[in-house]
Amino acid sequence: MPFPELGERVAAVKARIAEAAKRGGHIREVTIVAVTKTHGPEAAEAAWSAGIPDVGENKVQEALGKMVVAGVPVRWHLIGHLQRNKVRSLDRFFLFHALDSSRLADAIGPVGIDRGAPIEVLLQVNAAGEETKGGLDPANVAAEAERLAGMAGIVVRGAMTMARLGADERELRETFAAAREARRVLADAGHPATELSMGMSNDYEIAVEEGATMVRLGSILFGAREP
Ligand SMILES: *Cc1c(COP(=O)(O)O)cnc(C)c1O
């Protein structure tokens, strides 16, 4: 059986999440999104067997390939950047975490209208202010939130962010607090923005302390990825 340690790892992570949620004073349920990128479809099957029904992929093509072979009804999350010419494939995902520009939103809107149900997204914020990362500058979130509120084909469920690799605890908390603030701005603009997707294998406990409702965990569950 692939990933024989997954059950134990999931149990350990869940216990740590529960403790972190208590420390942070948060009562919201935290969803674990098992990130299966670079692994085969058996990783999604193992996640399902271990009681994790949410699976994340950062590349759309890789995700679509696994969907057709994985024999389990997991909810697929697209957590990475999407090119505008691939927006049609969002129909296959439960939630898109990486709405990172106005231009991408403009491409997604018609897809939701055509299919008769809005595309569910999280607004990615570049809270750490990194040149190399996608996402909106927090200063632009309010204006984009207003604009998105007028788009029938998109529903914004919350905010997503990625912390800077190697950030110390103080910086992590600042980044996660900025994402929390972005969610508040979205909610104030009328969006049903209840979710905060933040925290990866290295920083998920701090993210949960800061109010994450979804953590995206790869290596801590499935082991180190091949480069
Ligand atoms: C790979 C990836 C993760 C998971 O990373 P780990 O450090 O392996 O937990 C989370 N979010 C995104 C957007 C990713 O691309």
Side-chain angles (χ1 to χ4, degrees):
M1 193 182 92
F3 311 107
E5 293 163 27
L6 185 59
E8 277 170 44
R9 290 178 178 179
V10 166
V13 164
K14 281 187 173 168
R16 286 177 173 273
I17 286 174
E19 286 162 21
K22 210 185 285 175
R23 284 195 301 275
H26 300 286
I27 49 162
R28 276 289 311 274
E29 189 89 5
V30 178
T31 300
I32 296 173
V33 178
V35 178
T36 53
K37 66 188 188 195
T38 76
H39 299 290
E42 61 278 3
E45 293 164 358
W48 175 260
S49 301
I52 307 267
D54 292 277
V55 166
E57 288 282 334
N58 69 330
K59 295 197 177 119
V60 67
Q61 224 51 46
E62 187 178 341
L64 294 174
K66 287 176 202 179
M67 275 178 202
V68 297
V69 280
V72 285
V74 294
R75 294 189 284 249
W76 293 89
H77 296 243
L78 186 61
I79 62 175
H81 175 71
L82 181 67
Q83 286 175 284
R84 279 177 295 148
N85 62 3
K86 301 216 172 97
V87 290
R88 295 266 147 206
S89 47
L90 285 177
D91 190 36
R92 313 283 301 278
F93 291 88
F94 174 71
L95 181 65
F96 175 46
H97 292 229
L99 178 59
D100 57 8
S101 73
S102 306
R103 292 197 328 154
L104 182 57
D106 289 340
I108 292 173
V111 180
I113 288 172
D114 283 357
R115 76 168 187 177
I119 303 289
E120 310 246 341
V121 307
L122 303 179
L123 189 68
Q124 182 176 354
V125 289
N126 189 351
E130 281 184 276
E131 294 271 327
T132 53
K133 279 226 178 81
L136 273 80
D137 185 323
N140 299 334
V141 169
E144 185 63 9
E146 291 294 336
R147 215 181 65 87
L148 289 167
M151 294 180 65
I154 294 183
V155 59
V156 185
R157 291 283 172 201
M160 177 274 215
T161 201
M162 286 171 84
R164 195 173 62 82
L165 196 70
D168 63 13
E169 183 178 331
R170 192 184 59 90
E171 183 183 338
L172 288 174
R173 290 191 191 282
E174 279 173 11
T175 298
F176 295 146
R180 209 170 54 222
E181 172 64 10
R183 181 184 60 176
R184 189 191 63 75
V185 169
L186 286 163
D188 284 354
H191 298 281
T194 52
E195 303 296 337
L196 258 186
S197 169
M198 57 191 198
M200 307 179 17
S201 292
N202 289 329
D203 55 22
Y204 74 96
E205 288 170 275
I206 291 175
V208 170
E209 286 180 19
E210 295 294 334
T213 66
M214 294 183 163
V215 291
R216 308 178 308 268
L217 303 179
S219 48
I220 200 170
L221 298 179
F222 300 107
R225 287 181 289 274
E226 301 289 321

